[in-house]
Amino acid sequence: MDFKIAVLPGDGIGPEISKQGVDVMSAVCRRFDHTVTYRYALCGAAAIDAVGDPFPEETYEICKWADAVLFSAVGHPKFDNDPNAKVRPEQGLLAMRKKLGLFANIRPVETFSCLIHKSPLKTELVDGADFICIRELTGGMYFGEKYQDDFKAYDTNLYTRPEIERILRVAYQYAQQRRKHLTVVDKANVLASSRLWRKVAQEIAPEYPDVTTDYMYVDNAAMRMIQEPKFFDVMVTENTFGDILTDEGSVISGSMGLLPSASTGESTPVFEPIHGSWPQAAGKHIANPLAQILSVAMLFEYFGMKREGECIRKAVNDSLEAGIRTPDIQTQGLPAYTTEQVGEWIAQRIEQ
């Protein structure tokens, strides 16, 4: 296959981990006789500094040209610490999702046997935990009507039936391919938007009789993820709840640097690590590239290339078993490896 890939390194550690993802993708393409063409584009704080726009039109055009986007991270403290900033790096990420129609965010949460000790939870709770959170990505408070002055502010959590239906169907399709258990997460006892979510879910559930559907308030889901993460198979929820729950889920594995994600919908899909830009670590060569590399595995699998995806996953597992790890996941007393050393080891392993 001929791949056209838009590469958006972004900010902070983004360029460092982006290179490892690109190198791994190139290694896979060489091994399996694919060709790949990369085009690089600005996004986030880097784009604001360059052209004043966190998601420039040129970047959008490159994304539309591509078969897939390999994205890394956006964010910078100079914007985080300025509540009056009118333009922010994160607006670039939201604009990309909205313009490309990426309404479904797929975030797998899984554990690695050799890293169970890194999880803050007890081994018996997390060993074997494996679930997917499907987050609605283009609706809710992040995109609803907003207002702010010195005395009041509000964000509108708006959802329509079509938006809810389409994300629920994505979730059911994933559940059918897995253990046939779907948990719909909402706050229907308080929020009108959640009551619509639950109503639509209850109407759609009979169309998927092979899937067991249950409903859970978001606060209960947050507790259950800590108390019994192995309860979940697939969970689906709205934008804000999904943002929070997936970050909580990432901690189960022991490091946010381990988990990839995919954003899919109407146009070019985007593959990215779930973590942020960690600007404090930029240039220190300590960032964990595994989430970025596993995002490349998800990219291949999205296009039906299971062998290629499995090849990456095996190389990642081999690197962990061999102790080729960045400081965040290295066993105490063993030497840590740099971002570049981990990426190079995995790329070479793929081509062996």
Side-chain angles (χ1 to χ4, degrees):
M1 178 172 176
D2 295 334
F3 282 105
K4 296 182 294 184
I5 303 296
V7 183
L8 277 60
D11 309 321
I13 61 171
E16 298 171 52
I17 61 170
S18 176
K19 184 179 186 307
Q20 311 318 312
V22 167
D23 288 350
V24 165
M25 182 164 190
S26 296
V28 172
C29 287
R30 287 191 293 269
R31 175 170 173 175
F32 291 92
D33 295 323
H34 303 303
T35 60
V36 58
T37 302
Y38 302 105
R39 290 182 65 185
Y40 287 76
L42 294 171
C43 188
I48 295 174
D49 290 342
V51 298
D53 185 342
F55 189 64
E57 184 65 22
E58 181 180 358
T59 299
Y60 176 47
E61 292 298 328
I62 289 174
C63 290
K64 289 197 299 181
W65 159 86
D67 297 309
V69 176
L70 188 61
F71 175 77
S72 297
V74 295
H76 195 281
K78 68 181 179 182
F79 297 96
D80 298 339
N81 297 326
D82 182 4
N84 297 314
K86 300 300 183 184
V87 181
R88 298 179 179 277
E90 293 76 14
Q91 291 171 345
L93 184 56
L94 296 179
M96 178 169 62
R97 292 167 178 170
K98 197 70 172 180
K99 286 187 173 183
L100 294 177
L102 305 177
F103 64 86
N105 183 227
I106 317 301
R107 290 193 173 187
V109 177
E110 60 181 322
T111 55
F112 298 84
S113 58
C114 63
L115 294 177
I116 291 294
H117 65 286
K118 286 290 184 179
S119 175
L121 302 184
K122 294 179 179 178
T123 298
E124 59 267 27
L125 294 179
V126 298
D127 191 14
D130 176 13
F131 62 93
I132 292 178
C133 182
I134 297 181
R135 167 190 171 194
E136 201 289 323
L137 207 56
T138 57
M141 284 194 291
Y142 288 11
F143 293 95
E145 182 183 349
K146 302 176 185 299
Y147 177 82
Q148 178 184 350
D149 61 30
D150 290 339
F151 298 96
K152 69 177 180 181
Y154 60 78
D155 301 275
T156 307
N157 198 44
L158 174 65
Y159 271 105
T160 64
R161 174 178 285 269
E163 288 176 314
I164 299 168
E165 286 182 348
R166 67 182 181 179
I167 193 67
L168 285 169
R169 295 192 187 282
V170 170
Y172 272 111
Q173 289 166 9
Y174 271 89
Q176 286 180 318
Q177 296 167 14
R178 289 172 52 89
R179 300 190 301 273
K180 297 181 170 52
H181 175 204
L182 178 65
T183 302
V184 180
V185 177
D186 60 34
K187 191 63 176 172
N189 57 336
V190 175
L191 301 177
S193 57
S194 281
R195 286 193 285 275
L196 180 60
W197 268 78
R198 186 166 294 206
K199 176 180 173 61
V200 174
Q202 289 173 338
E203 292 173 358
I204 289 178
E207 298 179 27
Y208 301 88
D210 56 327
V211 176
T212 299
T213 305
D214 50 41
Y215 305 88
M216 193 175 293
Y217 295 147
V218 63
D219 42 358
N220 186 21
M223 291 186 289
R224 195 74 177 267
M225 283 173 63
I226 299 302
Q227 295 171 330
E228 192 184 357
K230 286 184 279 190
F231 168 82
F232 296 102
D233 177 24
V234 178
M235 68 164 62
V236 60
T237 192
E238 58 102 73
N239 204 344
T240 305
F241 296 161
D243 191 3
I244 297 166
L245 289 177
T246 51
D247 279 0
E248 180 189 5
S250 72
V251 178
I252 292 172
S253 69
S255 172
M256 289 186 73
L258 293 170
L259 300 182
S261 73
S263 298
T264 65
E266 301 167 2
S267 186
T268 313
V270 175
F271 301 87
E272 62 183 293
I274 70 161
H275 58 70
S277 61
W278 197 16
Q280 299 84 354
K284 295 182 180 179
H285 310 286
I286 60 174
N288 190 339
L290 295 188
Q292 181 81 85
I293 290 169
L294 288 169
S295 296
V296 178
M298 291 187 75
L299 187 159
F300 280 110
E301 290 160 355
Y302 175 85
F303 290 101
M305 299 182 177
K306 294 182 178 180
R307 289 188 309 157
E308 289 83 340
E310 181 56 35
C311 176
I312 295 173
R313 295 184 187 279
K314 183 179 185 307
V316 167
N317 283 323
D318 288 348
S319 74
L320 293 172
E321 294 289 347
I324 313 299
R325 309 176 189 176
T326 46
D328 58 313
I329 56 172
Q330 185 55 288
T331 302
Q332 187 174 0
L334 295 180
Y337 289 76
T338 66
T339 307
E340 294 77 15
Q341 287 172 330
V342 172
E344 182 179 358
W345 194 96
I346 292 172
Q348 291 177 350
R349 188 76 167 185
I350 287 169
E351 294 198 80
Q352 287 179 354

